Amino acid sequence: MADTLYDTDLIIIGGGPAGCAAARMAASVGMRSILIEPDRLCRNLYRIPALNNVLGGHTSGPELADSIVAELKSTELCRLELGRHITALHADDDRVTATVATGTRLTSPYAIVATGVGPLQPRDAAWITIPDGVTLPPLWQVEADDAEGRTLLVLGGDRPIGTFLRAHPTTDTRLLVAYPAADAYKIEEIREDRRVTLLPVEHLMLSCEEGTQVSAEAVGQDGARRRVTADAAYLSIGNAPIAPSGDLTRGPDGYCPPTDQHPRVIVAGDLRSARFQRIMTALGSGSEAALHAYYAARELLAQG
């Protein structure tokens, strides 16, 4: 499908599962692609110690990531541009132009944006108050030895909690999970775990550290106040969409609905919505995005 008017058949922005799947599918139908990723391929997968919702027999994120990366690096029609990021995306009637931070401009008939999400910080969550200068690590950083025999206060009910529990099934720890009403649908998978105590809150104030313990005041969703203490505090408050500036339509929540985009810009993976952030859906949407570009390009050639 090569065309001298463009640098490639397809620009793919983002090297997570969705972007990698898009590049692999594009190659299978003869499309050249350039994949731009500022970090390593599938970087977030390497942080997931246990998997239970993917096909193929993979039981950990690193195992799946290694498999995806190996396949992509053997894909001859995909040119990898790692360690680079896109500063602007512009869509015209006949092409998409992606500007790399180096100043280089890449053109193609279509672009797939699969930049995904990044971790939220306490300052992004109105229901959390923490002292100035205090930083909290994300829950996925906790090792089994750090959790053994300890009580951990977890701020937010996001899905890394379930991953942590599956990865460390025999670890003797207690998780105090403080979560807002908006996270209620996320905590169903951990509700029955005996190591979890759920704390639905309207607001939580991390007030001080006493020796090696963390202290906080939780205002319940019923207005009741209670003091909680733990050996350490960690974040699991979710993610925020990350997208390049330019011709992308964002919803009120910052995500980029696929149906609202320019016809030459295709959104895939976690960037689409907060509710369907799963590895399998990312892989599927990346593959579908590549086929969307392929069939759209064929229709244009037929019309010409």
Side-chain angles (χ1 to χ4, degrees), residues 48-176:
I48 302 176
L51 297 176
N52 72 341
N53 62 349
V54 297
L55 298 173
H58 300 291
T59 59
S60 74
E63 182 184 345
L64 176 59
D66 285 343
S67 174
I68 293 174
V69 170
E71 286 194 34
L72 193 59
K73 287 187 175 180
S74 68
T75 302
E76 295 182 359
L77 290 179
C78 176
R79 182 178 117 199
L80 296 175
E81 292 286 344
L82 303 181
R84 304 183 184 280
H85 69 273
I86 297 298
T87 59
L89 183 69
H90 182 64
D92 290 311
D93 290 340
D94 61 346
R95 71 182 60 204
V96 176
T97 302
T99 303
V100 186
T102 58
T104 301
R105 293 184 176 180
L106 301 172
T107 60
S108 67
Y110 294 91
I112 293 174
V113 184
T115 43
V117 295
L120 287 167
Q121 300 300 317
R123 63 178 178 273
D124 302 313
W127 62 275
I128 299 174
T129 299
I130 65 172
D132 292 340
V134 173
T135 59
L136 300 178
L139 184 64
W140 60 260
Q141 289 185 353
V142 180
E143 300 291 342
D145 291 345
D146 296 329
E148 182 65 37
R150 306 180 78 204
T151 297
L152 308 181
L153 174 62
V154 182
L155 277 58
D158 209 47
R159 296 184 182 91
I161 301 173
T163 300
F164 169 84
L165 294 169
R166 290 190 297 271
H168 309 298
T170 62
T171 299
D172 181 20
T173 188
R174 182 187 179 208
L175 300 185
L176 302 178

Side-chain angles (χ1 to χ4, degrees), residues 232-256:
Y234 292 89
L235 291 177
S236 188
I237 58 176
N239 299 292
I242 301 173
S245 61
D247 293 337
L248 276 170
T249 302
R250 295 164 174 81
D253 57 0
Y255 286 90
C256 301

Side-chain angles (χ1 to χ4, degrees), residues 251-270:
D253 57 0
Y255 286 90
C256 301
T259 56
D260 294 346
Q261 307 306 319
H262 188 283
R264 293 189 178 273
V265 176
I266 309 162
V267 176
D270 290 355

